[in-house]
Amino acid sequence: MLKPKKGNTYVVFTQWKSVQDFENWKNSDQFKQSHKGQSTKPPAYFADRPFLTTYHMLSDE
């Protein structure tokens, strides 16, 4: 996790064996339990709303 010196955009890098493994984790009971009860302050501006960007790494295998 990279915390910004300025602004509010945090960067989190994860690596998964497959997209399906990532989806399974997001839908798992462990994920739900670890994010249970977390609340965040609503963004003041549209530009502050959370977003997700996904990149894929390809290999020559």
Side-chain angles (χ1 to χ4, degrees):
M1 175 179 237
L2 301 176
K3 180 179 176 184
K5 289 185 176 185
K6 292 183 181 180
N8 58 1
T9 301
Y10 289 75
V11 179
V12 178
F13 292 97
T14 60
Q15 186 172 348
W16 298 88
K17 185 175 181 180
S18 68
V19 172
Q20 190 59 51
D21 285 345
F22 176 68
E23 292 299 324
N24 291 343
W25 171 73
K26 284 195 326 185
N27 296 314
S28 70
D29 290 336
Q30 293 87 354
F31 179 89
K32 292 173 190 169
Q33 186 66 27
S34 67
H35 292 88
K36 182 179 174 182
Q38 293 183 359
S39 62
T40 57
K41 180 180 169 185
Y45 301 99
F46 178 76
D48 289 341
R49 292 192 178 162
F51 63 92
L52 174 68
T53 303
T54 305
Y55 298 94
H56 299 273
M57 185 174 80
L58 302 176
S59 64
D60 293 333
E61 293 180 3

